[in-house]
Amino acid sequence: MFKLNFILKIVTILLLVVFPQSRLLFAKNLYVNCGGDFKSFLRNIGDVAIDKGINKNDVLLVLKNSQRSKKVISLDRKQSTFRLSFTDFSKKAINTYRLKNGKKNIEKYKELFQIAKSKYGVPPEVITAFWAMETDFGAVQGDIHTFSALATLAHDCRRPEMFQPEYIAAINLFSKGIIDLKTTGAWAGEVGQVQMLPSDILKFGQDGDNDGFIDLKKSPEDAILTAAALISELGWEPNQPWIEEVIIDDKNFPWKEAGFGRDRKISSWKKLGIISRNKKFMASDNTKATLLLPQGLKGPKFLAYSNYNIYLKWNDSFIYTVTAAHLASRFSGQKKFLSNKPDKILSLEKMIKLQNILQSNGYNVGKVDGILGRQTRQSVRSIQIKLGLPADSWPTDDLLNILN
């Protein structure tokens, strides 16, 4: 047995060295090798779906109706939304239409929202903010063929370990009659009024209107209750805040204390000079919170509580999550965030130049793509500290000039 295990290990190592692509086969949730002939890939992943107990005829119907989409690949590679600043993105996302209709929907589905809060502990404002951000309350659900989108991304070698299980889950949804062969949605395979992936629909789908069916595309009631179930499962803490705007007037404030991983108690933030815009903090002095500066020290400032982490689990984009959390606060009666003419985001060309400079100096910015992501922000913070500048993780023209 020892010799057999030893031989297996040697074979595995040789495969990884000689065939680097085979590394993906050892990734969690990856069922078949990615890339190669698309039709062969479909046959192979179809066999997996059948082995998992999904009706063979249903599997074959889905495979027949799945096409490789160049458009999906293009959209996956080009996510320009992430090149917007927080204030630019939020101005588009938190608009009059969403604010007005969000409040109307909270009132319209008042009884259902009460059930959702009673059963799952999730406030109506939080669910409604996601509903608005994702599809404008069901008005814009996406027109990309769901099975083709998921098959394409499952076949593509960028994130197959994520999308292969989702493609099989979508086949399962079809077999159960929850979606049909012509179902459309977002380019990444999300379906319905709150844009959920197939695996989440399988697990959390709720019949909110009690008609005997789960229909997240046409039924707001189903979408609301399903979203509540998912948010609860992600770890939502009932009757606890998620985010609030704060004010910092002290020019000598230690900006390097802002950002993820540097949370501290409210009492400690108070000592540093942070004031709640509401005059009174939403949580007790012993509650921990993280200071967020989505657009640097001149931009809006927020304290994020533990419930904010659920937004990151929903969508790991920093600007999306702060915007969605603030929109939920607006639905609960909070004011629009203060905007003190923050520094604009660097152009794509300048951001790439900055990333190259940081990388050449030993900083890990991740992929040089012109996007101000988590690693680039951390690198900016590190070099700001090194240069004795306010470490707010926000790159400016002045910083770029200094580095040049």
Coordinates of all heavy atoms in Angstrom, one line a residue, residues 106-157:
I106 N -41.4 48.3 -0.7 CA -41.3 48.0 0.7 C -42.7 48.1 1.3 O -43.1 47.2 2.1 CB -40.3 48.9 1.5 CG1 -38.9 48.5 1.1 CG2 -40.5 48.7 3.0 CD1 -37.9 49.5 1.7
E107 N -43.5 49.1 0.9 CA -44.9 49.2 1.4 C -45.8 48.2 0.7 O -46.7 47.6 1.4 CB -45.3 50.7 1.1 CG -46.8 51.0 1.6 CD -46.9 50.8 3.1 OE1 -45.9 51.1 3.8 OE2 -48.0 50.4 3.5
K108 N -45.6 48.0 -0.6 CA -46.5 47.1 -1.3 C -46.4 45.7 -0.8 O -47.4 45.0 -0.7 CB -46.1 47.1 -2.8 CG -46.9 46.2 -3.7 CD -46.5 46.3 -5.2 CE -47.4 45.4 -6.1 NZ -47.0 45.6 -7.5
Y109 N -45.2 45.2 -0.5 CA -45.0 43.9 0.0 C -44.7 43.8 1.5 O -43.9 43.0 2.0 CB -43.9 43.2 -0.8 CG -44.1 43.1 -2.3 CD1 -43.5 44.0 -3.2 CD2 -45.0 42.1 -2.8 CE1 -43.8 43.9 -4.5 CE2 -45.3 42.1 -4.2 CZ -44.6 43.0 -5.0 OH -44.9 42.9 -6.4
K110 N -45.3 44.7 2.2 CA -45.1 44.9 3.6 C -45.3 43.6 4.4 O -44.4 43.3 5.2 CB -46.0 46.0 4.1 CG -45.8 46.4 5.6 CD -46.7 47.5 6.0 CE -46.5 47.9 7.4 NZ -47.4 49.0 7.8
E111 N -46.4 42.9 4.2 CA -46.7 41.7 4.9 C -45.6 40.6 4.7 O -45.2 39.9 5.6 CB -48.1 41.2 4.6 CG -49.2 42.1 5.1 CD -50.5 41.5 4.8 OE1 -50.6 40.3 4.3 OE2 -51.5 42.2 5.0
L112 N -45.2 40.5 3.4 CA -44.2 39.5 3.1 C -42.8 39.8 3.7 O -42.1 39.0 4.2 CB -44.1 39.4 1.5 CG -43.1 38.3 1.1 CD1 -43.6 36.9 1.5 CD2 -42.9 38.3 -0.5
F113 N -42.5 41.1 3.6 CA -41.2 41.6 4.3 C -41.2 41.3 5.8 O -40.2 40.9 6.4 CB -41.0 43.0 4.0 CG -40.4 43.3 2.7 CD1 -41.0 44.2 1.7 CD2 -39.1 42.8 2.3 CE1 -40.4 44.4 0.5 CE2 -38.5 43.0 1.1 CZ -39.2 43.9 0.2
Q114 N -42.4 41.4 6.4 CA -42.5 41.1 7.8 C -42.3 39.6 8.1 O -41.7 39.3 9.1 CB -43.9 41.6 8.3 CG -44.1 43.1 8.4 CD -45.5 43.5 8.8 OE1 -46.4 42.7 8.8 NE2 -45.6 44.8 9.3
I115 N -42.8 38.8 7.2 CA -42.6 37.4 7.3 C -41.1 37.0 7.1 O -40.6 36.2 7.9 CB -43.4 36.6 6.2 CG1 -44.9 36.7 6.5 CG2 -43.0 35.1 6.1 CD1 -45.8 36.2 5.4
A116 N -40.5 37.7 6.1 CA -39.1 37.5 5.9 C -38.2 37.9 7.1 O -37.3 37.2 7.5 CB -38.6 38.2 4.6
K117 N -38.6 39.0 7.7 CA -37.8 39.5 8.8 C -38.0 38.6 10.0 O -37.1 38.3 10.8 CB -38.2 40.9 9.2 CG -37.3 41.5 10.2 CD -37.6 43.0 10.4 CE -36.6 43.6 11.5 NZ -36.8 45.0 11.7
S118 N -39.3 38.1 10.2 CA -39.6 37.3 11.4 C -38.9 35.9 11.2 O -38.4 35.4 12.2 CB -41.1 37.1 11.4 OG -41.4 36.2 12.5
K119 N -38.9 35.4 10.0 CA -38.3 34.0 9.8 C -36.8 34.1 9.7 O -36.1 33.1 10.1 CB -38.9 33.5 8.5 CG -38.6 32.0 8.2 CD -39.3 31.5 7.0 CE -39.0 30.0 6.8 NZ -39.7 29.5 5.6
Y120 N -36.3 35.1 9.0 CA -34.8 35.1 8.7 C -34.0 36.2 9.4 O -32.8 36.2 9.4 CB -34.6 35.2 7.2 CG -35.2 34.0 6.5 CD1 -36.3 34.1 5.6 CD2 -34.6 32.7 6.5 CE1 -36.8 33.0 5.0 CE2 -35.1 31.6 5.9 CZ -36.2 31.8 5.1 OH -36.7 30.7 4.4
G121 N -34.7 37.2 9.9 CA -34.1 38.3 10.6 C -33.5 39.4 9.7 O -32.7 40.2 10.2
V122 N -33.8 39.3 8.4 CA -33.3 40.3 7.4 C -34.2 41.4 7.2 O -35.4 41.2 6.8 CB -33.0 39.6 6.1 CG1 -32.3 40.5 5.2 CG2 -32.1 38.3 6.3
P123 N -33.8 42.7 7.4 CA -34.7 43.8 7.2 C -35.1 44.0 5.8 O -34.4 43.7 4.8 CB -33.8 45.0 7.7 CG -32.7 44.4 8.4 CD -32.5 43.1 7.9
P124 N -36.3 44.6 5.5 CA -36.8 44.8 4.2 C -35.9 45.7 3.4 O -35.7 45.5 2.1 CB -38.2 45.4 4.4 CG -38.2 45.9 5.8 CD -37.3 45.0 6.5
E125 N -35.2 46.7 4.0 CA -34.3 47.6 3.3 C -33.2 46.9 2.7 O -32.7 47.3 1.6 CB -33.8 48.7 4.3 CG -34.9 49.6 4.9 CD -35.6 49.0 6.1 OE1 -35.2 47.9 6.5 OE2 -36.4 49.7 6.7
V126 N -32.6 45.9 3.4 CA -31.5 45.2 2.9 C -31.8 44.4 1.6 O -31.1 44.4 0.6 CB -30.9 44.3 4.0 CG1 -29.8 43.4 3.4 CG2 -30.4 45.1 5.1
I127 N -33.0 43.7 1.7 CA -33.4 42.9 0.6 C -33.7 43.8 -0.6 O -33.3 43.5 -1.8 CB -34.7 42.0 0.9 CG1 -34.3 41.1 2.1 CG2 -35.2 41.3 -0.3 CD1 -35.6 40.4 2.7
T128 N -34.4 44.9 -0.3 CA -34.8 45.8 -1.4 C -33.6 46.4 -2.1 O -33.7 46.7 -3.3 CB -35.8 46.9 -0.8 OG1 -36.9 46.2 -0.2 CG2 -36.3 47.8 -1.9
A129 N -32.6 46.7 -1.3 CA -31.4 47.3 -1.9 C -30.7 46.3 -2.9 O -30.3 46.7 -4.0 CB -30.4 47.7 -0.9
F130 N -30.6 45.1 -2.6 CA -30.1 44.1 -3.5 C -31.1 43.9 -4.7 O -30.6 43.8 -5.9 CB -30.0 42.7 -2.9 CG -28.8 42.6 -2.0 CD1 -28.9 42.2 -0.6 CD2 -27.5 42.9 -2.5 CE1 -27.8 42.1 0.2 CE2 -26.4 42.7 -1.7 CZ -26.5 42.4 -0.3
W131 N -32.3 43.9 -4.5 CA -33.3 43.8 -5.6 C -33.2 45.0 -6.5 O -33.2 44.8 -7.8 CB -34.7 43.9 -4.9 CG -35.9 43.5 -5.8 CD1 -35.9 43.0 -7.0 CD2 -37.3 43.7 -5.4 NE1 -37.2 42.8 -7.5 CE2 -38.0 43.2 -6.5 CE3 -37.9 44.2 -4.3 CZ2 -39.4 43.3 -6.5 CZ3 -39.3 44.2 -4.3 CH2 -40.1 43.8 -5.4
A132 N -32.9 46.2 -6.0 CA -32.7 47.4 -6.9 C -31.4 47.3 -7.6 O -31.4 47.5 -8.8 CB -32.8 48.6 -6.0
M133 N -30.4 47.0 -6.9 CA -29.0 47.0 -7.5 C -28.9 45.9 -8.6 O -28.2 46.2 -9.6 CB -28.0 46.7 -6.4 CG -27.8 47.8 -5.4 SD -26.9 49.2 -6.0 CE -25.2 48.5 -6.2
E134 N -29.6 44.8 -8.4 CA -29.4 43.7 -9.3 C -30.2 43.8 -10.6 O -29.7 43.6 -11.7 CB -29.7 42.4 -8.7 CG -28.8 42.0 -7.5 CD -27.4 41.7 -8.0 OE1 -27.2 41.5 -9.2 OE2 -26.5 41.7 -7.1
T135 N -31.5 44.2 -10.5 CA -32.4 44.2 -11.7 C -33.4 45.4 -11.7 O -34.3 45.3 -12.6 CB -33.2 42.9 -11.7 OG1 -34.1 42.9 -10.6 CG2 -32.3 41.7 -11.7
D136 N -33.2 46.4 -10.9 CA -34.2 47.5 -10.9 C -35.6 46.9 -10.6 O -36.6 47.1 -11.3 CB -34.2 48.3 -12.2 CG -33.1 49.4 -12.2 OD1 -32.7 49.8 -11.1 OD2 -32.7 49.8 -13.3
F137 N -35.6 46.0 -9.6 CA -36.9 45.4 -9.2 C -37.5 44.5 -10.2 O -38.7 44.4 -10.4 CB -37.9 46.5 -8.7 CG -37.3 47.5 -7.8 CD1 -37.1 48.8 -8.3 CD2 -36.9 47.2 -6.6 CE1 -36.5 49.8 -7.5 CE2 -36.3 48.2 -5.7 CZ -36.1 49.4 -6.2
G138 N -36.6 43.8 -11.0 CA -37.1 42.8 -12.0 C -37.2 43.4 -13.4 O -37.5 42.6 -14.3
A139 N -37.0 44.7 -13.6 CA -37.1 45.3 -14.9 C -36.0 44.9 -15.8 O -36.2 44.8 -17.1 CB -37.2 46.8 -14.8
V140 N -34.8 44.7 -15.3 CA -33.6 44.4 -16.2 C -32.9 43.2 -15.6 O -32.1 43.3 -14.8 CB -32.7 45.6 -16.2 CG1 -31.5 45.4 -17.2 CG2 -33.4 46.9 -16.5
Q141 N -33.4 42.0 -16.1 CA -32.8 40.8 -15.6 C -31.8 40.1 -16.5 O -31.2 39.1 -16.2 CB -34.0 39.8 -15.4 CG -35.0 40.2 -14.4 CD -36.1 39.1 -14.1 OE1 -35.8 37.9 -14.1 NE2 -37.3 39.6 -13.9
G142 N -31.5 40.8 -17.6 CA -30.4 40.2 -18.5 C -31.0 39.4 -19.6 O -32.1 38.8 -19.4
D143 N -30.4 39.5 -20.8 CA -30.9 38.8 -22.0 C -29.9 37.7 -22.5 O -30.0 37.3 -23.7 CB -31.3 39.8 -23.1 CG -30.1 40.6 -23.5 OD1 -29.0 40.4 -22.9 OD2 -30.2 41.5 -24.4
I144 N -29.0 37.3 -21.7 CA -28.1 36.3 -22.1 C -28.6 34.9 -21.8 O -29.1 34.6 -20.7 CB -26.7 36.4 -21.3 CG1 -26.2 37.8 -21.5 CG2 -25.7 35.4 -21.8 CD1 -25.8 38.2 -22.9
H145 N -28.6 34.0 -22.8 CA -29.1 32.6 -22.6 C -28.3 31.9 -21.5 O -27.1 31.8 -21.5 CB -28.9 31.8 -23.9 CG -29.5 30.5 -23.8 ND1 -28.8 29.3 -24.1 CD2 -30.7 30.0 -23.5 CE1 -29.5 28.3 -24.0 NE2 -30.7 28.7 -23.6
T146 N -29.0 31.6 -20.4 CA -28.4 31.1 -19.2 C -27.5 29.8 -19.4 O -26.4 29.7 -18.9 CB -29.4 30.8 -18.1 OG1 -30.1 32.1 -17.8 CG2 -28.8 30.3 -16.8
F147 N -28.1 28.8 -20.1 CA -27.3 27.6 -20.3 C -26.1 27.8 -21.1 O -25.0 27.2 -20.8 CB -28.2 26.5 -20.9 CG -29.3 26.0 -20.0 CD1 -30.6 26.2 -20.2 CD2 -28.9 25.3 -18.8 CE1 -31.6 25.7 -19.3 CE2 -29.9 24.8 -17.9 CZ -31.2 25.0 -18.2
S148 N -26.2 28.6 -22.1 CA -25.0 28.9 -22.9 C -24.0 29.7 -22.2 O -22.7 29.4 -22.3 CB -25.4 29.7 -24.2 OG -26.2 28.9 -25.1
A149 N -24.4 30.6 -21.3 CA -23.5 31.4 -20.5 C -22.7 30.5 -19.6 O -21.5 30.6 -19.5 CB -24.2 32.5 -19.8
L150 N -23.4 29.7 -18.9 CA -22.8 28.8 -17.9 C -21.9 27.7 -18.5 O -20.8 27.4 -18.0 CB -23.9 28.1 -17.0 CG -24.5 29.1 -16.0 CD1 -25.7 28.4 -15.3 CD2 -23.5 29.6 -14.9
A151 N -22.4 27.2 -19.6 CA -21.6 26.2 -20.4 C -20.3 26.8 -20.8 O -19.2 26.2 -20.8 CB -22.4 25.6 -21.5
T152 N -20.4 28.0 -21.3 CA -19.2 28.7 -21.8 C -18.2 29.0 -20.7 O -17.0 28.7 -20.9 CB -19.6 30.1 -22.5 OG1 -20.4 29.8 -23.6 CG2 -18.4 30.8 -22.9
L153 N -18.7 29.4 -19.6 CA -17.8 29.7 -18.5 C -17.3 28.5 -17.8 O -16.2 28.5 -17.2 CB -18.5 30.6 -17.4 CG -18.9 32.0 -18.0 CD1 -19.8 32.7 -17.0 CD2 -17.6 32.9 -18.2
A154 N -18.0 27.4 -17.8 CA -17.6 26.1 -17.3 C -16.5 25.5 -18.2 O -15.6 24.9 -17.7 CB -18.8 25.2 -17.2
H155 N -16.6 25.8 -19.5 CA -15.6 25.2 -20.4 C -14.3 26.1 -20.4 O -13.2 25.6 -20.5 CB -16.2 25.3 -21.8 CG -15.3 25.0 -22.9 ND1 -14.7 25.9 -23.7 CD2 -14.7 23.8 -23.4 CE1 -13.9 25.4 -24.6 NE2 -13.9 24.1 -24.4
D156 N -14.5 27.4 -20.2 CA -13.3 28.3 -20.2 C -12.4 28.0 -18.9 O -12.9 27.6 -17.9 CB -13.9 29.8 -20.1 CG -12.7 30.8 -20.1 OD1 -11.9 30.7 -21.1 OD2 -12.7 31.6 -19.2
C157 N -11.2 28.2 -19.1 CA -10.2 27.8 -18.0 C -9.9 28.9 -17.0 O -9.0 28.8 -16.2 CB -8.9 27.3 -18.7 SG -9.1 25.7 -19.4

